[in-house]
Amino acid sequence: MSLFRCPVCFAPLERGERAYTCPNGHSYDISKEGYVHLLPANQKHSKAPGDDKAMVAARNRFLSAGYYAPLRQTLEELALRYTAPGCAVLDSGCGEGWYTAGVAQALRAAGRSPRVAGIDISKFALRWAARRDRETEFAVGSAYHLPAADGCADLLINCFSPLAAAEFRRVLVPSGVFLYVVPAPRHLWEMKEVLYDRPYPNPEEEIPYEGFEPLEVVPVESVLHIGDPEDLWALFQMTPYCWKTPKTGVERLQALPGLDVTAGFRIHVFRKK
Ligand SMILES: [Zn+2]
Protein backbone atom coordinates (compact mmCIF):
# COMPACT_ATOMS: atom_id res chain seq x y z
CA MET A 1 0.00 0.00 0.00
CA SER A 2 1.33 3.41 -0.98
CA LEU A 3 1.73 6.29 1.48
CA PHE A 4 0.97 8.73 -1.32
CA ARG A 5 -2.34 10.35 -2.19
CA CYS A 6 -3.56 11.88 -5.43
CA PRO A 7 -2.48 15.55 -5.56
CA VAL A 8 -5.62 16.39 -7.55
CA CYS A 9 -8.50 14.65 -5.72
CA PHE A 10 -6.67 13.50 -2.53
CA ALA A 11 -7.83 9.87 -2.93
CA PRO A 12 -5.29 7.15 -2.01
CA LEU A 13 -2.89 6.16 -4.77
CA GLU A 14 -2.17 2.60 -5.72
CA ARG A 15 1.26 1.70 -6.99
CA GLY A 16 1.26 -0.29 -10.21
CA GLU A 17 4.05 -1.57 -12.39
CA ARG A 18 4.45 1.63 -14.41
CA ALA A 19 2.24 4.20 -12.73
CA TYR A 20 0.39 5.24 -9.59
CA THR A 21 -3.36 5.51 -10.08
CA CYS A 22 -6.27 6.80 -8.01
CA PRO A 23 -9.88 5.49 -8.07
CA ASN A 24 -10.96 8.65 -9.93
CA GLY A 25 -8.84 7.90 -12.96
CA HIS A 26 -5.81 10.13 -12.29
CA SER A 27 -2.55 8.47 -13.23
CA TYR A 28 1.10 9.32 -12.52
CA ASP A 29 3.92 7.61 -14.38
CA ILE A 30 6.81 6.08 -12.49
CA SER A 31 10.16 7.34 -13.84
CA LYS A 32 12.78 4.92 -15.08
CA GLU A 33 14.70 5.53 -11.83
CA GLY A 34 11.58 4.67 -9.81
CA TYR A 35 10.17 7.95 -8.44
CA VAL A 36 6.80 9.52 -9.23
CA HIS A 37 5.97 13.15 -9.95
CA LEU A 38 3.15 14.37 -7.64
CA LEU A 39 3.69 18.13 -7.80
CA PRO A 40 0.74 19.88 -9.48
CA ALA A 41 1.59 22.66 -11.93
CA ASN A 42 0.14 25.33 -9.62
CA GLN A 43 2.68 24.40 -6.88
CA LYS A 44 5.54 24.46 -9.32
CA HIS A 45 7.13 27.89 -9.30
CA SER A 46 9.85 27.14 -11.83
CA LYS A 47 10.56 24.62 -14.56
CA ALA A 48 12.76 22.51 -12.29
CA PRO A 49 12.09 23.59 -8.69
CA GLY A 50 14.40 22.83 -5.78
CA ASP A 51 18.08 22.02 -5.71
CA ASP A 52 19.68 21.91 -9.13
CA LYS A 53 21.78 19.16 -10.68
CA ALA A 54 25.17 20.52 -9.59
CA MET A 55 24.07 21.11 -6.00
CA VAL A 56 22.54 17.66 -5.80
CA ALA A 57 25.65 16.01 -7.28
CA ALA A 58 27.89 17.80 -4.75
CA ARG A 59 25.72 16.74 -1.82
CA ASN A 60 25.45 13.20 -3.10
CA ARG A 61 29.24 12.97 -3.40
CA PHE A 62 29.76 14.28 0.12
CA LEU A 63 27.06 12.18 1.81
CA SER A 64 27.99 9.00 -0.05
CA ALA A 65 31.57 9.40 1.22
CA GLY A 66 30.10 8.84 4.71
CA TYR A 67 31.14 12.08 6.44
CA TYR A 68 27.71 12.42 8.06
CA ALA A 69 27.45 8.76 9.08
CA PRO A 70 27.16 9.64 12.82
CA LEU A 71 24.03 11.69 12.09
CA ARG A 72 22.48 8.95 9.98
CA GLN A 73 23.27 6.35 12.63
CA THR A 74 21.60 8.45 15.33
CA LEU A 75 18.52 8.93 13.14
CA GLU A 76 18.41 5.15 12.65
CA GLU A 77 18.58 4.59 16.43
CA LEU A 78 15.81 7.11 17.07
CA ALA A 79 13.65 5.58 14.32
CA LEU A 80 14.05 2.18 16.01
CA ARG A 81 13.27 3.66 19.44
CA TYR A 82 10.12 5.49 18.35
CA THR A 83 8.45 3.00 15.98
CA ALA A 84 6.74 -0.38 16.18
CA PRO A 85 6.47 -3.25 13.66
CA GLY A 86 4.54 -2.34 10.52
CA CYS A 87 5.28 1.38 10.95
CA ALA A 88 5.05 4.01 8.24
CA VAL A 89 7.84 6.57 7.90
CA LEU A 90 7.78 9.75 5.83
CA ASP A 91 10.91 11.80 5.06
CA SER A 92 9.94 15.34 4.07
CA GLY A 93 12.68 17.00 2.03
CA CYS A 94 14.49 13.69 1.60
CA GLY A 95 17.01 14.97 -0.98
CA GLU A 96 19.14 12.15 -2.37
CA GLY A 97 17.55 9.73 0.09
CA TRP A 98 20.77 9.03 1.96
CA TYR A 99 19.16 9.34 5.41
CA THR A 100 15.86 7.89 4.19
CA ALA A 101 17.57 4.75 2.91
CA GLY A 102 19.59 4.39 6.13
CA VAL A 103 16.48 4.56 8.30
CA ALA A 104 14.55 2.22 5.99
CA GLN A 105 17.35 -0.35 6.00
CA ALA A 106 17.78 -0.16 9.78
CA LEU A 107 14.05 -0.75 10.32
CA ARG A 108 14.02 -3.64 7.83
CA ALA A 109 17.08 -5.21 9.45
CA ALA A 110 15.28 -5.06 12.81
CA GLY A 111 12.28 -6.91 11.32
CA ARG A 112 9.93 -3.92 11.50
CA SER A 113 8.63 -4.38 7.92
CA PRO A 114 8.28 -0.61 7.53
CA ARG A 115 6.62 1.32 4.73
CA VAL A 116 8.92 4.23 3.94
CA ALA A 117 8.43 7.17 1.62
CA GLY A 118 10.50 10.23 0.76
CA ILE A 119 9.26 13.49 -0.74
CA ASP A 120 11.40 16.25 -2.23
CA ILE A 121 10.76 19.11 -4.60
CA SER A 122 13.91 18.41 -6.65
CA LYS A 123 13.61 15.72 -9.29
CA PHE A 124 17.40 15.73 -9.63
CA ALA A 125 17.70 14.66 -5.98
CA LEU A 126 15.06 11.95 -6.39
CA ARG A 127 16.90 10.38 -9.31
CA TRP A 128 19.62 9.47 -6.82
CA ALA A 129 17.17 8.58 -4.05
CA ALA A 130 15.08 6.17 -6.12
CA ARG A 131 18.19 4.33 -7.30
CA ARG A 132 19.63 4.21 -3.78
CA ASP A 133 16.68 2.32 -2.29
CA ARG A 134 14.23 0.54 -4.57
CA GLU A 135 11.92 -0.59 -1.74
CA THR A 136 11.23 2.97 -0.58
CA GLU A 137 8.72 5.13 -2.46
CA PHE A 138 9.88 8.54 -3.64
CA ALA A 139 7.79 11.40 -4.98
CA VAL A 140 8.42 14.88 -6.28
CA GLY A 141 6.22 17.05 -4.10
CA SER A 142 6.11 20.11 -1.87
CA ALA A 143 6.66 19.98 1.90
CA TYR A 144 3.86 22.54 2.19
CA HIS A 145 1.40 20.31 0.31
CA LEU A 146 2.66 16.81 1.06
CA PRO A 147 1.10 14.25 -1.32
CA ALA A 148 0.36 11.97 1.65
CA ALA A 149 -2.90 11.15 3.43
CA ASP A 150 -3.99 12.54 6.80
CA GLY A 151 -2.63 10.41 9.63
CA CYS A 152 -0.61 8.11 7.37
CA ALA A 153 2.78 8.32 9.12
CA ASP A 154 3.97 7.06 12.50
CA LEU A 155 7.29 8.85 12.11
CA LEU A 156 8.15 11.99 10.17
CA ILE A 157 11.75 13.01 9.45
CA ASN A 158 12.88 16.48 8.46
CA CYS A 159 16.60 16.80 7.92
CA PHE A 160 17.82 20.30 6.94
CA SER A 161 14.79 21.04 4.83
CA PRO A 162 11.75 23.29 4.85
CA LEU A 163 9.64 23.10 7.98
CA ALA A 164 5.90 22.87 7.44
CA ALA A 165 4.70 22.17 10.98
CA ALA A 166 0.96 22.24 10.24
CA GLU A 167 1.37 19.89 7.30
CA PHE A 168 3.58 17.54 9.34
CA ARG A 169 0.89 17.42 12.03
CA ARG A 170 -1.72 16.56 9.41
CA VAL A 171 0.14 13.54 8.03
CA LEU A 172 1.17 12.11 11.42
CA VAL A 173 -0.98 9.63 13.33
CA PRO A 174 -2.11 10.76 16.80
CA SER A 175 0.98 10.54 19.08
CA GLY A 176 3.18 10.23 15.97
CA VAL A 177 6.81 11.30 16.33
CA PHE A 178 8.63 14.03 14.43
CA LEU A 179 12.45 14.14 14.15
CA TYR A 180 13.75 17.59 13.23
CA VAL A 181 17.45 17.99 12.45
CA VAL A 182 19.05 21.43 12.81
CA PRO A 183 22.71 22.58 12.83
CA ALA A 184 24.39 23.00 16.24
CA PRO A 185 26.03 26.34 17.17
CA ARG A 186 29.53 25.29 16.03
CA HIS A 187 28.50 23.25 12.98
CA LEU A 188 31.20 23.71 10.29
CA TRP A 189 32.94 26.28 12.49
CA GLU A 190 36.44 25.79 11.01
CA MET A 191 35.06 26.25 7.50
CA LYS A 192 33.38 29.48 8.54
CA GLU A 193 36.70 30.68 10.00
CA VAL A 194 38.24 30.23 6.55
CA LEU A 195 35.35 31.89 4.72
CA TYR A 196 34.67 34.89 6.94
CA ASP A 197 36.78 37.42 8.79
CA ARG A 198 34.25 37.39 11.66
CA PRO A 199 32.33 34.09 11.74
CA TYR A 200 29.27 33.76 13.96
CA PRO A 201 27.99 30.60 15.64
CA ASN A 202 24.51 29.40 14.67
CA PRO A 203 21.86 30.42 17.22
CA GLU A 204 20.85 27.65 19.64
CA GLU A 205 17.15 27.37 18.99
CA GLU A 206 14.31 26.67 21.32
CA ILE A 207 11.67 25.31 19.00
CA PRO A 208 8.12 25.24 20.35
CA TYR A 209 5.59 24.10 17.76
CA GLU A 210 1.88 24.26 18.27
CA GLY A 211 0.38 20.80 18.56
CA PHE A 212 3.71 19.13 19.33
CA GLU A 213 5.13 18.09 22.68
CA PRO A 214 8.96 18.20 22.88
CA LEU A 215 10.37 14.83 24.02
CA GLU A 216 14.15 15.25 23.83
CA VAL A 217 16.99 16.98 22.01
CA VAL A 218 19.73 14.60 20.87
CA PRO A 219 23.15 16.13 20.07
CA VAL A 220 25.39 14.58 17.40
CA GLU A 221 28.99 15.85 17.27
CA SER A 222 31.98 14.67 15.27
CA VAL A 223 35.11 15.98 13.54
CA LEU A 224 35.30 15.49 9.79
CA HIS A 225 38.79 14.85 8.47
CA ILE A 226 38.41 16.11 4.93
CA GLY A 227 41.59 15.28 3.01
CA ASP A 228 40.28 15.77 -0.51
CA PRO A 229 39.78 19.33 -1.85
CA GLU A 230 36.88 18.09 -3.99
CA ASP A 231 35.07 16.81 -0.90
CA LEU A 232 35.71 20.15 0.82
CA TRP A 233 34.27 21.97 -2.18
CA ALA A 234 31.27 19.63 -2.24
CA LEU A 235 30.62 20.41 1.44
CA PHE A 236 30.80 24.14 0.73
CA GLN A 237 28.26 23.76 -2.08
CA MET A 238 25.85 22.05 0.32
CA THR A 239 25.85 25.01 2.71
CA PRO A 240 23.95 28.30 2.65
CA TYR A 241 27.40 30.01 2.74
CA CYS A 242 27.74 29.04 -0.90
CA TRP A 243 25.44 31.96 -1.77
CA LYS A 244 26.81 34.65 0.52
CA THR A 245 30.56 34.33 0.88
CA PRO A 246 32.89 37.12 -0.31
CA LYS A 247 35.21 36.11 -3.15
CA THR A 248 38.32 36.33 -0.95
CA GLY A 249 36.82 33.79 1.44
CA VAL A 250 36.01 31.39 -1.36
CA GLU A 251 39.57 31.71 -2.69
CA ARG A 252 41.00 30.94 0.77
CA LEU A 253 38.89 27.77 0.89
CA GLN A 254 39.84 26.70 -2.63
CA ALA A 255 43.55 27.03 -1.77
CA LEU A 256 43.29 24.44 1.04
CA PRO A 257 44.31 20.80 0.47
CA GLY A 258 41.78 19.70 3.10
CA LEU A 259 40.42 20.67 6.50
CA ASP A 260 39.36 19.22 9.83
CA VAL A 261 35.83 20.49 10.43
CA THR A 262 33.41 20.16 13.35
CA ALA A 263 30.05 18.69 12.37
CA GLY A 264 27.41 19.35 14.98
CA PHE A 265 23.70 18.65 14.85
CA ARG A 266 20.71 18.67 17.17
CA ILE A 267 17.88 16.24 16.58
CA HIS A 268 14.74 17.68 18.15
CA VAL A 269 12.25 14.93 18.93
CA PHE A 270 8.56 15.88 19.17
CA ARG A 271 5.38 13.93 19.72
CA LYS A 272 2.12 15.03 18.13
CA LYS A 273 -0.34 16.04 20.87
ZN1 LIG B 1 -7.21 11.51 -8.20
Side-chain angles (χ1 to χ4, degrees):
M1 202 172 73
S2 173
L3 289 181
F4 297 143
R5 74 176 186 182
C6 178
V8 174
C9 70
F10 297 165
L13 285 176
E14 196 165 323
R15 185 180 182 148
E17 192 82 349
R18 289 160 179 268
Y20 284 81
T21 51
C22 86
N24 298 315
H26 302 117
S27 175
Y28 305 91
D29 288 348
I30 296 171
S31 74
K32 66 174 192 297
E33 295 89 354
Y35 67 88
V36 61
H37 196 283
L38 299 178
L39 185 70
N42 65 358
Q43 290 170 23
K44 202 172 163 180
H45 302 300
S46 71
K47 195 155 175 273
D51 296 330
D52 66 20
K53 227 176 189 169
M55 159 83 175
V56 161
R59 196 167 50 208
N60 195 59
R61 174 193 172 96
F62 187 84
L63 292 176
S64 298
Y67 289 108
Y68 282 178
L71 174 58
R72 183 165 80 168
Q73 197 183 337
T74 310
L75 283 170
E76 291 167 10
E77 288 162 10
L78 289 169
L80 284 166
R81 189 185 308 166
Y82 287 109
T83 61
C87 60
V89 178
L90 192 61
D91 188 353
S92 175
C94 65
E96 303 73 37
W98 192 72
Y99 302 102
T100 332
V103 166
Q105 282 151 14
L107 291 172
R108 282 178 211 135
R112 298 284 170 89
S113 309
R115 287 182 298 141
V116 184
I119 293 170
D120 199 280
I121 197 139
S122 168
K123 68 175 178 187
F124 302 114
L126 290 189
R127 283 181 188 163
W128 292 101
R131 281 179 291 182
R132 177 169 267 127
D133 183 357
R134 299 245 169 225
E135 285 179 60
T136 291
E137 299 186 282
F138 289 100
V140 178
S142 162
Y144 302 101
H145 305 276
L146 289 169
D150 298 2
C152 72
D154 301 289
L155 182 73
L156 191 131
I157 300 170
N158 180 275
C159 198
F160 290 120
S161 61
L163 180 91
E167 190 64 349
F168 295 172
R169 219 164 46 232
R170 179 183 69 76
V171 299
L172 277 170
V173 296
S175 301
V177 170
F178 166 34
L179 305 180
Y180 182 42
V181 181
V182 297
R186 290 180 64 82
H187 182 53
L188 305 184
W189 181 253
E190 296 80 0
M191 176 182 270
K192 284 159 93 171
E193 283 184 321
V194 174
L195 296 175
Y196 303 114
D197 295 329
R198 291 177 56 205
Y200 293 95
N202 299 315
E204 182 89 74
E205 288 183 77
E206 285 280 320
I207 319 176
Y209 290 119
E210 202 190 324
F212 286 104
E213 168 200 2
L215 295 182
E216 57 176 325
V217 179
V218 181
V220 183
E221 302 273 352
S222 62
V223 177
L224 315 175
H225 303 288
I226 304 176
D228 182 334
E230 278 190 51
D231 286 351
L232 189 57
W233 187 245
L235 174 61
F236 176 63
Q237 286 181 285
M238 287 165 62
T239 67
Y241 322 130
C242 188
W243 309 105
K244 53 186 184 198
T245 297
K247 198 162 167 257
T248 49
V250 177
E251 285 167 358
R252 281 197 296 268
L253 189 76
Q254 284 176 315
L256 294 177
L259 192 66
D260 283 0
V261 186
T262 301
F265 310 96
R266 301 277 186 268
I267 306 175
H268 291 253
V269 184
F270 297 94
R271 191 185 294 284
K272 180 178 163 177
K273 280 183 189 164

